[in-house]
Amino acid sequence: MPRVIYQDWIVQLGYDPQRGPAWFRADRSMLDKDDGADDDSRPCVVAVRQALGSLSEAERELVIRVDFMGESIAEIARRSGRSIFKLRGMHRRTLRAIKKRLTRFVAQRYDIRPTPHPSCPICASPFRGEIDAVIAGRDRGRNWSPVIAELKLRYSIKIVSPQLLIGHEKYHR
C-alpha cells in the first residue's frame, strides 16, 4: 500500500508529481529558479534546492523517490535490482550530507545550533573550535600521530584511534 506524504517545502520547491523525478535531471534551472515570490520561506527553498543540487544524480534521485514521492526503499530496490541494504546506506548518508549542507543556513536563519554529538570527546570539549582548527590545519601528507599527540598535550583529550578524528572531521564539522 503506497504511503501518502505531504511536505509543504516540497510543494514550494515546485515539485510536480506528474512529471516525476526527471524534472531535477532535465531542468537544472529549476534549482536556481527565482520566480519573484514574496514568500517568506523563499530562502529556505533556495537552500534546499542548492543542497539537493550538490548531490550526485543517484543520490538526488533516491531522495526524490523516497522523500518526495513516498516510495519505499524496498520498492526502489526491487525495481532497480540494487541491494536494499546499499540503498538504505546511501539514503542515510545522503540525508546526513543534506543536513550538513543546511546546518549553516539553519543556524543563521533560525538561530538553531546543532547539538554536540554525545559520544564524541571533541564535540564535548570546551575547546572544540581550537581543536577543529588543529585538525583542519594538519599536514595531510603525514599520519594522524602528531595531531593525536597535540590534542593529548594541549587539551588532555586521549584519542585511541585515528578513526575517531576521521569520523569527527567527516560528520561533526
Side-chain angles (χ1 to χ4, degrees), residues 3-172:
R3 300 182 296 178
V4 175
I5 299 175
Y6 177 76
Q7 296 177 336
D8 188 47
W9 64 273
I10 294 171
V11 174
Q12 291 176 1
L13 277 172
Y15 177 70
D16 183 355
Q18 300 301 317
R19 292 174 60 194
W23 70 273
F24 256 131
R25 288 192 308 270
D27 187 5
R28 297 285 299 162
S29 65
M30 197 61 160
L31 296 172
D32 303 317
K33 182 179 172 190
D34 184 7
D35 55 7
D38 291 331
D39 186 1
D40 190 40
S41 64
R42 191 79 190 142
C44 302
V45 173
V46 171
V48 171
R49 282 187 181 146
Q50 288 173 345
L52 290 172
S54 67
L55 301 173
S56 72
E57 186 175 330
E59 292 169 333
R60 187 170 40 255
E61 185 168 345
L62 183 62
V63 168
I64 289 169
R65 289 180 178 262
V66 173
D67 298 306
F68 285 37
M69 299 175 69
E71 293 181 38
S72 73
I73 293 178
E75 292 172 40
I76 297 168
R78 190 172 37 256
R79 279 199 306 264
S80 68
R82 298 177 71 185
S83 163
I84 190 170
F85 302 108
K86 286 186 179 185
L87 288 176
R88 278 187 188 148
M90 179 196 286
H91 187 250
R92 188 172 35 255
R93 285 188 306 275
T94 302
L95 291 180
R96 192 180 304 137
I98 291 171
K99 179 180 176 183
K100 185 176 181 180
R101 286 182 182 100
L102 291 173
T103 299
R104 181 175 289 140
F105 171 79
V106 170
Q108 290 172 349
R109 175 89 176 174
Y110 302 105
D111 198 29
I112 298 173
R113 308 279 181 237
T115 56
H117 196 274
S119 63
C120 179
I122 297 168
C123 290
S125 172
F127 307 106
R128 180 178 175 177
E130 295 174 30
I131 295 170
D132 282 341
V134 168
I135 293 171
R138 78 180 181 91
D139 179 4
R140 301 235 179 238
R142 299 183 64 194
N143 65 22
W144 286 94
S145 296
V147 174
I148 292 172
E150 186 174 352
L151 295 181
K152 184 176 182 181
L153 180 67
R154 287 177 59 187
Y155 306 105
S156 301
I157 294 178
K158 184 177 179 186
I159 307 292
V160 293
S161 167
Q163 193 60 42
L164 188 128
L165 295 171
I166 294 167
H168 172 77
E169 185 176 45
K170 187 172 182 181
Y171 299 115
H172 302 169

